[in-house]
Amino acid sequence: MTTTVGTTPRTAEGVPALRKTRAAVLAGVERIIETVLAGERARWRPEAHQALSLVDAIGDLVAAGGKRLRPAFCVSGFLAAGGSPDEPGLGRLAAALELLHVFALIHDDVIDSADTRRGRPTVHVAQAGAHRAAGWRGAPERFGENAAILAGDLALVYAGQLLSGAAAPVLDAWAELCSEMMVGQFLDVSIAAEYNADPEMSRWVAVCKSGRYSIHRPLSIGALLAGRADLDAPFETYGRALGEAFQLRDDLMDAFGDGEITGKPAGLDFEQHKMTLLLALAVQRDERVRALVLPRSGGIDRADADELRALLSESGVRAEVEARIDLLVARALDALKDAPLDNAWRQELTAMAYEVAYRDR
Amino acid sequence: MTTTVGTTPRTAEGVPALRKTRAAVLAGVERIIETVLAGERARWRPEAHQALSLVDAIGDLVAAGGKRLRPAFCVSGFLAAGGSPDEPGLGRLAAALELLHVFALIHDDVIDSADTRRGRPTVHVAQAGAHRAAGWRGAPERFGENAAILAGDLALVYAGQLLSGAAAPVLDAWAELCSEMMVGQFLDVSIAAEYNADPEMSRWVAVCKSGRYSIHRPLSIGALLAGRADLDAPFETYGRALGEAFQLRDDLMDAFGDGEITGKPAGLDFEQHKMTLLLALAVQRDERVRALVLPRSGGIDRADADELRALLSESGVRAEVEARIDLLVARALDALKDAPLDNAWRQELTAMAYEVAYRDR
């Protein structure tokens, strides 16, 4: 792999080779996560076998699939920055990002009262089911949520543990990423409660809650691990634009997607009266949407959800959001143009941008 | 301060001096926590002012009091191990332990549906109140719990951030402490659901959930920071015995204590059908207790709580638990006898043991 900039893109040879390298690192990430969980099972089995329930909840969610988006961008950022695939801290950092994501999913599903995730029952639902089946004391749903709170907490601890020994700049970036994500999630919950249709705020929340920690932060922390500060600026521009596109696609899939394909329930944002950018724009653009959503005190039920979907399309807002996604992708790719990158990586990051922005799950 | 062992204890001069040293370090710990929170307020105020609600929830709980038990034992372990009070990592480690504790309190209060903590409304109750007062959308209690989940998450992130840069052995001990605490809390919830009266399991849970991370782990991690592996064994014996005594005192205060003095609600363990060691012993010892508590499907209400309290005394179980506390204190002090410690620290750790085991809050 050369590091020339500005020559004719080398496609067929370059990209397959780097994908192979990245895939090998990502396979190692899976093994690292499994090793952590296996170690914990061995630790708790003798004296606290009930704890296996928590470790398995985490393990099941990891095994259930997921796009491994954050590890992929982290490893890509590192390799694109010229880092060596044998760097021991790389796999641990990427594994930490995935466990952080699993922590966020478990808590978010409690917060949103979601029933499915990655095509399976959410942790709190599964734990409630186990409680009910065993005929235990107290309310099953309450137990389920309590177990999920603790399972998420444990996943976050495992993530942090994988970062021990990392260099100070990486740890600082990690801490910033974590707190940003949690604040973003709280903002999401707050603006859903306030229910003011403010597109700028909704856009900012989407970026903060999900966009940054999904694309920008993993990419940048990977480059940071490889010591390439000169990639900071282009990766931030690329990452932020693509992160927003990622969240907008998430909002569109929630409103219009097929739950069987996405693996999570459709219409959940409506039910949870989330003030997504999609909805905020629609409320501002279209009187009929405002009349449908604002007077309510709770979420939007199934019947009205269908009407809302129709209005989102009719009012042109769905098309407007799709156009914004296109614009964001263009902005992301523009950031790569003059970046000090190997051309094969420029191509690969371009391909990843398209994948992320136009995915159906 | 000398390090002679086995000479006549030097009480009046030695202990006041080391308490003064420790107090100065602990004052620094408060400043460290305040600096973290102030930094976060400044960070989020411009673009995400709603986030201040979370930061303030953490700050309010820190400011509301609390015994600072864990920072005190951590700093004591470090100083007793001959560490220098100017060690920069010391305050950060102790601050991390207090923020970890705040995280645990916030989540535990959600899990236990507790209304008060440190004499004030719990985070989820306060957040629900704010939601209600503002007339926001959705159920206030649900919002309150969601906010508390995220506030706790944020406190845990802040705690981890304070540990960045610590040496590997300290980080390993930290990770072990964190996961042990969370597993302990899950066991507590699990055995409350299973509701089998198994004193050994209840004892183990009490130790794992609270005892270890309250006394043993902070003490040991302090000594570890000072590089004194020879204090491992005595500190573990002292810490585990005193940790169990601490939790047993907690159970007694919950059953018999004055909520105004303790700052948290009395009888909560009964309401939450917690299977404490106190209750497990009583169920085994006394038919009347078994008949009162086992047939129910939920927790024990106020009227029956009074009857239960009376039975706990009558059956001799209250006295039995008090006797066990006495035994545990003796075991803890015995561990100090031949430990390679300055006599002033032997005296101080003895005083701390009595304070912890016989406290009323």
Side-chain angles (χ1 to χ4, degrees), chain B residues 164-178:
Chain B
S164 63
V170 173
L171 291 172
D172 288 344
W174 170 261
E176 210 175 303
L177 177 170
C178 288

Side-chain angles (χ1 to χ4, degrees), chain B residues 1-10 339-346:
Chain B
M1 202 186 302
T2 69
T3 50
T4 49
V5 172
T7 60
T8 316
R10 200 179 300 114
L341 282 172
D342 177 15
N343 279 320
W345 273 110
R346 189 171 304 146

Side-chain angles (χ1 to χ4, degrees), chain B residues 99-109 117 152 181 185 213:
Chain B
L99 283 168
L100 175 72
H101 181 54
V102 165
F103 144 79
L105 293 181
I106 296 176
H107 278 191
D108 284 5
D109 286 339
R117 167 72 67 181
M181 184 183 85
Q185 173 64 339
Y213 109 95

Side-chain angles (χ1 to χ4, degrees), chain B residues 73 203 206-208 210-217 219-220 232-249 277 321 323-336 349 352-354 356-359:
Chain B
F73 272 103
R203 176 176 294 136
V207 165
C208 195
S210 171
R212 282 190 198 164
Y213 109 95
S214 300
I215 320 278
H216 166 215
R217 297 291 188 195
L219 190 67
S220 290
D232 250 9
F235 276 1
E236 179 169 334
T237 308
Y238 169 94
R240 287 197 172 185
L242 193 54
E244 186 184 337
F246 171 79
Q247 185 58 45
L248 290 178
R249 178 58 59 199
L277 178 59
V321 172
R324 178 152 181 89
I325 289 173
D326 297 342
L327 183 108
L328 289 164
V329 170
R331 184 186 297 170
L333 300 187
D334 194 67
L336 297 181
L349 288 169
M352 289 172 84
Y354 278 100
V356 160
Y358 301 105
R359 70 190 193 282

Side-chain angles (χ1 to χ4, degrees), chain B residues 4-351:
Chain B
T4 49
V5 172
T7 60
T8 316
R10 200 179 300 114
T11 51
E13 308 155 45
V15 165
L18 58 88
R19 282 182 180 177
K20 196 172 168 195
T21 303
R22 182 179 63 203
V25 175
L26 290 176
V29 169
E30 299 300 311
R31 286 193 297 274
I32 288 169
I33 294 175
E34 189 38 49
T35 301
V36 167
L37 299 180
E40 284 287 285
R41 284 189 201 98
R43 178 185 180 195
W44 298 115
R45 184 172 286 115
E47 285 186 302
H49 65 89
Q50 295 94 329
L52 298 182
S53 171
L54 281 194
V55 182
D56 288 344
I58 296 168
D60 287 350
L61 188 47
V62 169
K67 301 173 294 297
R68 300 297 189 270
L69 194 76
R70 293 152 194 84
F73 272 103
C74 173
V75 174
S76 298
F78 175 86
L79 294 175
S84 158
D86 302 317
E87 163 64 50
L90 174 62
R92 292 172 67 84
L93 175 60
L97 283 166
E98 187 60 21
L99 283 168
L100 175 72
H101 181 54
V102 165
F103 144 79
L105 293 181
I106 296 176
H107 278 191
D108 284 5
D109 286 339
V110 170
I111 284 168
D112 292 346
S113 299
D115 291 334
T116 56
R117 167 72 67 181
R118 293 182 176 172
R120 294 187 190 185
T122 45
V123 174
H124 61 274
V125 164
Q127 290 281 336
H131 182 289
R132 198 175 287 112
W136 283 348
R137 185 172 294 236
E141 292 76 21
R142 190 70 196 177
F143 174 84
E145 292 188 332
N146 290 343
I149 290 171
L150 294 167
D153 292 345
L154 200 53
L156 181 57
V157 168
Y158 294 157
Q161 195 172 346
L162 284 166
L163 263 297
S164 63
V170 173
L171 291 172
D172 288 344
W174 170 261
E176 210 175 303
L177 177 170
C178 288
S179 49
E180 178 180 64
M181 184 183 85
M182 284 159 212
V183 162
Q185 173 64 339
F186 180 68
L187 289 179
D188 190 46
V189 167
S190 291
I191 69 171
E194 291 177 49
Y195 217 57
N196 291 327
D198 176 354
E200 276 321 300
M201 178 51 83
S202 290
R203 176 176 294 136
W204 200 93
V205 170
V207 165
C208 195
K209 161 195 156 111
S210 171
R212 282 190 198 164
Y213 109 95
S214 300
I215 320 278
H216 166 215
R217 297 291 188 195
L219 190 67
S220 290
I221 208 172
L224 188 64
L225 185 67
R228 287 286 300 280
D230 62 323
L231 281 170
D232 250 9
F235 276 1
E236 179 169 334
T237 308
Y238 169 94
R240 287 197 172 185
L242 193 54
E244 186 184 337
F246 171 79
Q247 185 58 45
L248 290 178
R249 178 58 59 199
D250 212 58
D251 294 346
L252 286 174
M253 285 196 302
D254 183 281
F256 300 101
D258 182 337
E260 298 245 348
I261 295 177
T262 63
K264 47 191 179 182
L268 189 61
D269 287 346
F270 296 159
E271 251 178 77
Q272 293 289 314
H273 52 85
K274 287 294 177 74
M275 187 45 76
T276 61
L277 178 59
L278 183 64
L279 199 57
L281 284 172
V283 165
Q284 289 207 332
R285 299 274 183 280
D286 197 307
E287 180 61 51
R288 295 167 295 173
V289 175
R290 189 157 42 247
L292 181 62
V293 309
L294 287 189
R296 292 150 189 287
S297 60
I300 293 154
D301 62 31
R302 219 166 287 267
D304 289 322
D306 289 334
E307 192 187 337
L308 181 55
R309 258 176 225 112
L311 285 174
L312 287 169
S313 296
E314 256 189 69
S315 61
V317 168
R318 182 177 185 176
E320 189 178 340
V321 172
E322 285 284 1
R324 178 152 181 89
I325 289 173
D326 297 342
L327 183 108
L328 289 164
V329 170
R331 184 186 297 170
L333 300 187
D334 194 67
L336 297 181
K337 258 203 306 216
D338 298 309
L341 282 172
D342 177 15
N343 279 320
W345 273 110
R346 189 171 304 146
Q347 289 298 95
E348 176 57 10
L349 288 169
T350 300

Side-chain angles (χ1 to χ4, degrees), chain A:
Chain A
M1 199 188 303
T2 69
T3 51
T4 49
V5 172
T7 59
T8 317
R10 201 176 302 116
T11 51
E13 308 153 46
V15 166
L18 58 89
R19 282 182 179 175
K20 195 170 169 200
T21 303
R22 183 179 63 202
V25 175
L26 290 176
V29 168
E30 298 303 311
R31 287 192 296 273
I32 288 169
I33 293 175
E34 189 39 49
T35 301
V36 167
L37 300 180
E40 284 287 285
R41 285 188 200 100
R43 178 185 180 196
W44 299 115
R45 184 172 284 116
E47 286 186 301
H49 65 91
Q50 295 94 331
L52 298 181
S53 172
L54 280 196
V55 181
D56 289 344
I58 297 168
D60 287 350
L61 188 46
V62 169
K67 300 173 295 298
R68 301 295 191 270
L69 194 76
R70 295 153 193 84
F73 273 101
C74 172
V75 173
S76 299
F78 175 86
L79 295 174
S84 157
D86 302 318
E87 162 66 48
L90 175 62
R92 292 171 65 85
L93 175 59
L97 283 167
E98 188 60 22
L99 283 168
L100 174 72
H101 181 52
V102 164
F103 143 78
L105 293 181
I106 296 175
H107 278 192
D108 283 5
D109 286 339
V110 169
I111 285 169
D112 292 345
S113 299
D115 290 335
T116 56
R117 169 70 69 181
R118 292 182 177 173
R120 298 189 188 181
T122 46
V123 173
H124 61 273
V125 165
Q127 289 282 337
H131 182 288
R132 198 175 287 112
W136 283 347
R137 185 172 294 236
E141 292 77 20
R142 189 70 196 179
F143 174 84
E145 292 187 332
N146 290 342
I149 289 171
L150 294 166
D153 291 345
L154 200 53
L156 180 58
V157 167
Y158 294 157
Q161 195 171 346
L162 284 165
L163 263 296
S164 64
V170 172
L171 290 173
D172 287 344
W174 169 262
E176 210 174 303
L177 177 167
C178 288
S179 49
E180 178 179 65
M181 184 184 83
M182 286 162 211
V183 162
Q185 174 64 339
F186 179 68
L187 289 179
D188 189 49
V189 166
S190 290
I191 68 171
E194 292 178 49
Y195 217 58
N196 290 328
D198 176 356
E200 276 320 300
M201 177 53 83
S202 289
R203 174 176 295 137
W204 200 93
V205 169
V207 165
C208 194
K209 162 197 155 107
S210 170
R212 280 188 200 166
Y213 108 95
S214 300
I215 319 274
H216 166 216
R217 297 291 185 195
L219 191 67
S220 290
I221 209 173
L224 188 63
L225 184 68
R228 286 285 300 281
D230 60 324
L231 281 170
D232 250 11
F235 276 0
E236 178 169 335
T237 307
Y238 170 94
R240 286 196 173 187
L242 193 55
E244 186 184 335
F246 171 78
Q247 185 57 46
L248 290 178
R249 177 60 57 199
D250 211 59
D251 294 346
L252 285 174
M253 284 195 303
D254 183 280
F256 299 101
D258 181 339
E260 299 245 348
I261 294 176
T262 63
K264 49 190 177 182
L268 189 61
D269 287 346
F270 296 160
E271 252 177 74
Q272 293 289 316
H273 52 87
K274 287 294 177 75
M275 186 45 75
T276 61
L277 179 60
L278 184 63
L279 200 57
L281 283 172
V283 164
Q284 289 207 329
R285 299 272 184 282
D286 198 308
E287 178 63 50
R288 296 167 294 172
V289 174
R290 189 157 41 250
L292 181 62
V293 309
L294 287 190
R296 294 151 187 287
S297 60
I300 293 155
D301 62 30
R302 219 166 287 267
D304 288 323
D306 289 334
E307 193 186 339
L308 181 54
R309 258 176 225 111
L311 284 174
L312 286 170
S313 297
E314 257 189 69
S315 61
V317 168
R318 181 178 186 177
E320 188 178 341
V321 172
E322 286 283 3
R324 178 152 182 88
I325 288 173
D326 297 342
L327 183 107
L328 290 163
V329 170
R331 185 186 297 169
L333 301 187
D334 194 67
L336 298 180
K337 253 196 313 200
D338 298 310
L341 282 173
D342 178 15
N343 278 320
W345 275 110
R346 187 166 301 114
Q347 289 298 96
E348 176 57 11
L349 288 168
T350 299
M352 290 171 85
Y354 278 100
E355 265 189 74
V356 159
Y358 301 104
R359 71 191 192 282
D360 63 359
R361 66 192 67 219

